[in-house]
Amino acid sequence: GDGEELWRLIWVWDGTGQPTQLTVAPLNTRPLNTWEASWCGNDHIVAVTSDSHSEGSWYASRLTLIDARTGQARMLHEPRDQIGVPRGSPDGTKVAFIGAFCSDRGLVAGSLTVLDRAGTSVEVLQTDAIDVTSVEWRSPTVLSLAGLRGHETVLADFDLEAGRLTQIWASTELSCGEWAPTAAPIGDHGALFVGEAFDRAPFLAELRDGNLSEIASLAAPGAEAAMAGRG
């Protein structure tokens, strides 16, 4: 539809007062509909955007850099296929995102790409056959990723300076995330995620030094007893 209220906009909140609207529904400017957004340093936001708010327009989205003070937008990258999970580095110099040929918005599983904020250098990282589904910056030079390698759920780090991928955990029994593997980095090599399995209720999991521990179970009371007699 054409309703003005259907445009997805970026708002900024500093933790006090009221949120401030940064981008606007199109009037006389180029249309800018935001599907996903992430800080890129302290003064810019990187976003997946399209010229329309219609669901079909997501398939032609591009990567856009937005000034966090003025709302001015500049296209960084126009992909061949679809993109998702944009993540600006803490120092604001680089942007990571996932690219893939996709069926549905919200489920992007494919190649991990990094480019500089100027949009001039684009590098597709080699991730050892992992279809990447989640990415976060562990530091300004290290990316923490989660994904699938066949039927295996994998967590790994990619060191941009060394050009090297290091696997930190993998499992064919446990997975994590609502639609696809998702994890949050902690410390130098650890991660937090919500794990689950065919016969195990979701639980908050912490990975440290390769060891997985359960912080809290989300199983319903009596679940273990109810499952005990199953075939």
Side-chain angles (χ1 to χ4, degrees), residues 18-209:
Q18 296 298 315
T20 302
Q21 183 177 327
L22 182 64
T23 58
V24 297
L27 295 173
N28 299 319
T29 60
R30 178 174 180 172
L32 188 73
N33 185 76
T34 302
W35 299 101
E36 297 180 76
S38 164
W39 283 101
C40 186
N42 294 324
D43 54 358
H44 284 81
I45 293 170
V46 62
V48 175
T49 67
S50 62
D51 287 339
S52 169
H53 55 65
S54 68
E55 195 67 30
S57 69
W58 174 81
Y59 293 90
S61 291
R62 55 192 173 270
L63 198 66
T64 300
L65 189 69
I66 300 167
D67 191 302
R69 295 158 298 188
T70 66
Q72 295 261 324
R74 174 173 64 87
M75 188 181 75
L76 276 182
H77 179 67
E78 192 159 15
R80 182 187 64 181
D81 296 315
Q82 287 72 54
I83 58 174
V85 200
R87 296 291 184 265
S89 64
D91 60 7
T93 62
K94 295 179 285 293
V95 177
F97 64 91
I98 301 169
F101 181 70
C102 298
S103 64
D104 296 278
R105 178 169 66 89
L107 184 56
V108 182
S111 301
L112 178 58
T113 301
V114 175
L115 73 162
D116 62 6
R117 203 171 81 174
T120 56
S121 173
V122 180
E123 182 181 6
V124 179
L125 304 182
Q126 299 303 309
T127 55
D128 192 22
I130 300 170
D131 284 319
V132 181
T133 55
S134 167
V135 59
E136 300 288 349
W137 289 91
R138 188 180 294 278
S139 75
T141 60
V142 177
L143 284 163
S144 172
L145 61 96
L148 295 165
R149 186 168 51 206
H151 295 284
E152 190 176 36
T153 297
V154 184
L155 304 186
D157 284 347
F158 196 101
D159 188 318
L160 296 176
E161 291 184 334
R164 183 176 61 246
L165 181 84
T166 302
Q167 179 175 303
I168 62 173
W169 180 79
S171 176
T172 55
E173 297 180 359
L174 289 173
S175 192
C176 54
E178 183 178 9
W179 289 98
T182 304
I186 56 171
D188 293 335
H189 305 289
L192 283 174
F193 59 84
V194 178
E196 63 179 320
F198 178 75
D199 59 353
R200 185 173 180 180
F203 64 99
L204 181 59
E206 180 181 22
L207 180 69
R208 284 192 184 274
D209 300 322

